[in-house]
Amino acid sequence: QTDQSKSPWSSFNLIEMGQSAATHYPAAVFDWVPDRWWTSPRSENSYPVASTIQLNFGGDGIDSLHRPAPSLPESLRLVPRLDGQEMLSLISGVEYWEGACEVLNPKGKRIGQAYVELTGYGTALTPLLNDTSP
């Protein structure tokens, strides 16, 4: 989103220890709250590299397939292992942040790992998709 709000297409997937399938969580059931931003010295784009995912399952009509396991806390904090994980597509010229993060519970205890992709904070992909040139 140009205003850096959560896109309706945002989502996250959870694979719990010992499970082989992921549970998909659509944008309607969580809020993405930036905790810390990092600015790339190369592109000068700013990315919310550390964030909190606040789960919202109460009274929203989400079916039982999207309800978390009882062990999943109501909020998860994502902290990058390294801030400088910006990618630059040499073909499209689009910059984005993509990288490894630790998952922390509300008390700050590491409870998992994540791979996060943040797009829309730099060069927009939309003009490239709308280009009709051969």
Side-chain angles (χ1 to χ4, degrees):
Q1 304 284 50
T2 56
D3 65 358
Q4 298 184 3
S5 64
K6 179 182 66 175
S7 165
W9 301 108
S10 294
S11 67
F12 79 95
N13 294 292
L14 175 68
I15 302 173
E16 294 186 74
M17 186 88 87
Q19 300 295 316
S20 60
T23 301
H24 174 77
Y25 292 90
V29 300
F30 71 92
D31 291 320
W32 177 275
V33 181
D35 295 329
R36 185 173 58 80
W37 292 76
W38 172 77
T39 300
S40 166
R42 180 180 61 187
S43 68
E44 298 183 356
N45 296 331
S46 290
Y47 301 93
V49 294
S51 301
T52 298
I53 296 174
Q54 183 68 44
L55 301 173
N56 306 310
F57 291 95
D60 55 13
I62 299 301
D63 63 54
S64 61
L65 293 177
H66 292 119
R67 295 205 182 276
S71 62
L72 185 65
E74 290 185 13
S75 68
L76 303 169
R77 183 143 193 272
L78 303 176
V79 179
R81 291 187 178 168
L82 173 70
D83 285 356
Q85 298 184 75
E86 181 183 52
M87 304 291 176
L88 172 62
S89 169
L90 297 177
I91 294 172
S92 67
V94 173
E95 307 98 0
Y96 58 99
W97 191 96
E98 175 177 281
C101 292
E102 300 292 340
V103 180
L104 309 177
N105 70 12
K107 294 181 179 181
K109 180 182 177 191
R110 181 182 180 273
I111 59 170
Q113 302 171 56
Y115 197 78
V116 176
E117 181 177 327
L118 303 171
T119 61
Y121 295 91
T123 304
L125 186 57
T126 307
L128 297 170
L129 296 174
N130 293 333
D131 185 7
T132 58
S133 60

